[in-house]
Structure formats: C-alpha cells, structure tokens
Amino acid sequence: MTVKLYRNARIFTPLDAGHPLRGKEQGRIEEYRRGAILAVNGLIEAIGEENKVLGSLSAYSVNEERDMEGACIIPGFVDPHTHMCFAKRREDEFKMRLDGLPYLEILKRGGGILSSVKAVQSVTEEELFCSTKKLVMAALAKGTTTVEIKSGYGLDLELEMKMLSVIRRISKETPLDVVPTFMGAHAVPAEYKANPDNFVDLIINEMLPKVKGQGIAEFCDVFCEEGVFSVDQSRKILKAAKGLGFEMKIHADEVHDLGGAGLAAELGVRSAEHLLAASEENLRAMGKAGSIAVLLPATAYSLKKPYARGREMIDWDVPVALATDCNPGSCFCESVPFIFGLGVMNMDMTIEEALAASTLNAAYAVSRQQKVGSLEPGKQADFLVLDGETPTALAYHAGNTSVLEVHKLAERVA
Ligand SMILES: [Zn+2]
C-alpha cells in the first residue's frame, strides 16, 4: 500500500453534487486554506483542512510526506473535446486564412479536413501514434490529465479503425486517462458528395457495428452543420449509435443555427459542442435535458470568430464545460490554461466557473465524473500545483501556463 500525504497546500476544487454544475452552482468552489490530501494507492482517501486530514492519519503509515509550502493545488484538467490523433499539421493553411484566402480556394490548394484524411492514410500506424503521443504529452505538461480523442480523419472503416487503435495505444502507453470517440461522421467524403445519405447508411449499417465490435470507442460524435450532416442525418446516426450502446456527442450549431442544440436536447446527448449560433430556446432545452455545453474558445480565437455565449449559457442554467478542440485545421491548441484564460476574458466566465468548466463539468462531459474532475474522497489523486496563489493565476499570467507540477494517481508525471 502506498500512502502519500501532501500538506500545507491551498486547495481549490469544485464539489460533485451528483450532476454537472449549472447556474449559480457552477460558480461555487471549495477552498481549503491550509489543506491536505491523503492519497492511498493513487486514490484520495481524505482531503480538507490539514488538521482534519491529519486526524484521520492514525490508520495509515505514510510512505511519503510533502510540505507544499502554501502552494495552490487544483484538480487535473479534463479536456473533453480534441482531435489530437492526426498525422500532419496544416500551418500553411492557417497562413492562407490569415492572408484572406476563401475556404474554397484553400480546399483547391489541398487544405481542409480532407487533407488530414489523406495524411492519416499516408502514414503508418506507428507514425500516427508517435505524432499523437507527442501532442498528448505536451497537453499533459500543461495540466491535462484526462483527454477525449476523436477519430474522424479516416472517413472509411479501415482508417477509422486505425485511428481508434492509435487512440487505444495512447491510453495504454501514456500516463493520461483517454476517452475514445468514434467520429466517422466528421465530413462527407468527396465520392459521397452527390449522395450523402449513402454515406450515412454506410456509417449506420457498416461502420458503427464494426467499430462496436472493435471495442475501443465509447462515444459517437457527429458534425451537424450546413454542408456536412443535417439534423435528420445526425439524428439517425446518433440513434443508431445509442442503440449499440455508444454514448452520444454532437458538434452543433457552430456556424448556422440548424437546430443541433435542439436535437441534443431531444436525444439527451451527453454533450453538445461549439454552439456559437445556437438559439436561446434550444440552449435552455439542453440545460433541462442535462446535456452539457462544451465550449471551444480557442477555435473562435483561431478562426477570428465571435465567442460562444458562455456567460449567458451559465445564466440560462446550462452546464458549461471548456475544451481545446485541438486539431490541425481550425484550432491548433492543446493548452487548457489558454482556453481557461479565453473563457474568463472573452466569454465573461468567472474564475470559479472556468475552473468547474475545465475540471468537473468536463469530466461529466466524458462520463468520467466518478473518477476525476474534483478532489474528493474516492476519486483519483490527479492534481496540479500552480505558480500562483489561486486559480486566478491561470487567467492573470497571460501567455503562461502557470502549471508547475502535474500529479496523476499521486505520482508526479510532469
Ligand atoms: Zn471538434
């Protein structure tokens, strides 16, 4: 039995009430001013004010004790939406966009999502693993201890399976907890442009059952947007996925208010993402249905778009989580501290709300709330030591990650 005691720390954590935090709840963060964490075999046995935690010590012989000298501790970040499994960066395309080239011209010059599909096709599984691992480890160093990773740069069965195998290896061969998502419905391949319903049928009848058989993916995600998948097509795919036992996610109303958020509420999906154009009515319905709004402010930053209405969503009782959306096209960013800052500065979230959004609500968005997302007895001792007195440092010290140490299962991993 490994027993570790971290004492004399200033600890900040949301508290798990058995559901994602919404409305005023999202702004409530517990603080232990002179706090301590007792971890047994990587799980939190006791946490709270130091004198209370020390009181529960007698049952254990502590193997390792550390005086944190008043340092600030928060839960490890959960990044609930990424496309980190890709083979090639698209830096040239970013420059073209900055230079004002229209998207269609970028596509003509070989950019866009289909270029990422070609790249996944052209590398070996080992090469794809190495590039993904590099990015995931960079995220870990910035405080991400649990990460969701989607497939979706395959768009055919073989390549989607290749991506999911890589995602499984990432889960086994890095310290992070990984949540695998199948996103065959990320784009319509060129050969199906004339008959996109045939591709929807292929996903439902062939891909989903085979992906289920492969046994890696837990979630199924769909890009519901004009020119990609309609609300009806998205509904068909998600219902079929649910029938096979997948949990559901949806990229909804990023550019146009198609009603993706309304579909999210109708199906009771675990989370809906982007939501820049979603209507107040549909957002409120999502809140009532218990679906989490996963907001991706680094994508708005990178595309120079207006930000999602994070402040309003919280005021409308929608549980809000933050994610990086890390991908080679619209948003190359694996840093949760960066999106934390954007959430506070550009979406008017409070520090407390942004902390809940990047820890506990994010854990709910990927169904990992029983293990991570807050520092409480029974959960994993996954925590960060910050360079600063409070979590405010994450937004205050702009351009800096403010993460000094990353601990996972009570081991220092970065
Ligand atoms: Zn995405």
Side-chain angles (χ1 to χ4, degrees):
M1 188 156 68
T2 312
V3 182
K4 295 189 180 183
L5 175 67
Y6 304 85
R7 53 175 200 80
N8 189 18
R10 197 169 171 190
I11 303 171
F12 294 82
T13 179
L15 295 182
D16 194 343
H19 54 258
L21 301 177
R22 68 180 70 208
K24 290 209 164 35
E25 277 179 347
Q26 181 151 1
R28 287 193 202 119
I29 296 293
E30 188 73 20
E31 178 187 352
Y32 307 114
R33 284 195 76 88
R34 189 187 168 99
I37 300 172
L38 177 68
V40 177
N41 294 336
L43 299 183
I44 298 172
E45 181 70 18
I47 179 166
E49 291 297 341
E50 184 177 297
N51 52 5
K52 280 197 187 151
V53 173
L54 294 183
S56 62
L57 263 188
S58 53
Y60 302 98
S61 58
V62 173
N63 307 112
E64 205 179 301
E65 179 176 331
R66 193 163 152 205
D67 180 349
M68 303 306 291
E69 299 173 343
C72 173
I73 283 181
I74 61 171
F77 293 129
V78 178
D79 188 350
H81 179 143
T82 86
H83 305 260
M84 282 187 189
C85 184
F86 62 83
K88 192 173 163 281
R89 297 183 181 190
R90 284 152 51 188
E91 192 173 315
D92 51 342
E93 184 181 321
F94 180 73
K95 175 76 162 63
M96 288 183 221
R97 211 165 59 225
L98 291 180
D99 290 344
L101 248 68
Y103 188 65
L104 285 178
E105 185 58 32
I106 293 174
L107 286 182
K108 261 193 222 156
R109 296 191 191 184
I113 183 175
L114 297 177
S115 72
S116 288
V117 175
K118 266 192 204 138
V120 165
Q121 203 167 19
S122 66
V123 297
T124 64
E125 199 168 305
E126 181 63 25
E127 286 167 331
L128 186 59
F129 170 74
C130 289
S131 58
T132 307
K133 183 179 174 190
K134 196 173 157 199
L135 193 48
V136 164
M137 293 305 283
L140 177 71
K142 295 174 183 73
T144 300
T145 48
T146 298
V147 66
E148 186 256 15
I149 310 177
K150 301 173 200 298
S151 69
Y153 295 127
L155 307 183
D156 73 20
L157 182 62
E158 191 189 334
L159 291 179
E160 288 292 313
M161 299 280 238
K162 176 178 172 181
M163 290 186 75
L164 288 166
S165 304
V166 166
I167 294 168
R168 174 162 61 186
R169 261 187 85 189
I170 296 292
S171 151
K172 289 194 169 157
E173 298 178 33
T174 72
L176 290 94
D177 280 329
V178 175
V179 181
T181 296
F182 166 64
M183 198 177 178
H186 196 186
V188 180
E191 59 270 32
Y192 288 93
K193 275 285 177 209
N195 279 307
D197 278 333
N198 292 353
F199 187 57
V200 172
D201 289 342
L202 182 78
I203 291 173
I204 291 173
N205 299 325
E206 194 183 330
M207 289 197 203
L208 274 172
K210 295 250 169 72
V211 168
K212 185 69 194 170
Q214 186 194 30
I216 296 172
E218 283 175 48
F219 280 84
C220 174
D221 197 344
V222 176
F223 192 179
C224 180
E225 184 57 66
E226 224 170 87
V228 195
F229 296 94
S230 69
V231 169
D232 281 345
Q233 291 169 331
S234 303
R235 181 188 288 108
K236 268 173 99 176
I237 294 169
L238 288 175
K239 276 187 155 175
K242 190 182 178 190
L244 288 169
F246 289 97
E247 285 218 56
M248 300 175 286
K249 287 185 176 294
I250 181 169
H251 285 54
D253 303 333
E254 180 183 0
V255 184
H256 300 95
D257 181 15
L258 280 196
L263 178 64
E266 175 195 321
L267 297 177
V269 300
R270 175 59 69 157
S271 68
E273 340 275 302
H274 288 290
L275 302 168
L276 276 73
S279 71
E280 177 179 346
E281 186 191 350
N282 284 340
L283 287 166
R284 284 185 187 272
M286 264 182 57
K288 285 206 180 83
S291 298
I292 298 164
V294 175
L295 305 185
L296 314 168
T299 313
Y301 168 87
S302 187
L303 294 175
K304 295 190 179 186
K305 279 188 182 173
Y307 289 76
R309 294 181 287 175
R311 166 81 272 127
E312 285 89 340
M313 289 185 208
I314 292 172
D315 293 340
W316 296 336
D317 268 346
V318 186
V320 170
L322 289 168
T324 62
D325 193 21
C326 185
N327 75 75
S330 60
C331 177
F332 186 42
C333 169
E334 75 281 18
S335 170
V336 173
F338 181 65
I339 58 161
F340 186 105
L342 291 179
V344 170
M345 304 309 291
N346 292 1
M347 296 199 299
D348 290 331
M349 295 168 74
T350 66
I351 296 291
E352 292 80 6
E353 288 163 351
L355 185 62
S358 45
T359 56
L360 187 59
N361 278 5
Y364 269 98
V366 289
S367 282
R368 288 292 186 279
Q369 68 277 3
Q370 283 172 346
K371 291 185 171 176
V372 298
S374 60
L375 298 173
E376 296 182 82
K379 290 201 184 187
Q380 292 178 191
D382 292 2
F383 62 87
L384 313 177
V385 180
L386 297 188
D387 175 21
E389 295 167 16
T390 68
T392 303
L394 290 163
Y396 169 61
H397 199 174
N400 190 294
T401 76
S402 293
V403 175
L404 287 181
E405 296 177 20
V406 182
H407 296 255
K408 178 133 189 72
L409 291 162
E411 297 293 330
R412 185 166 175 190
V413 290

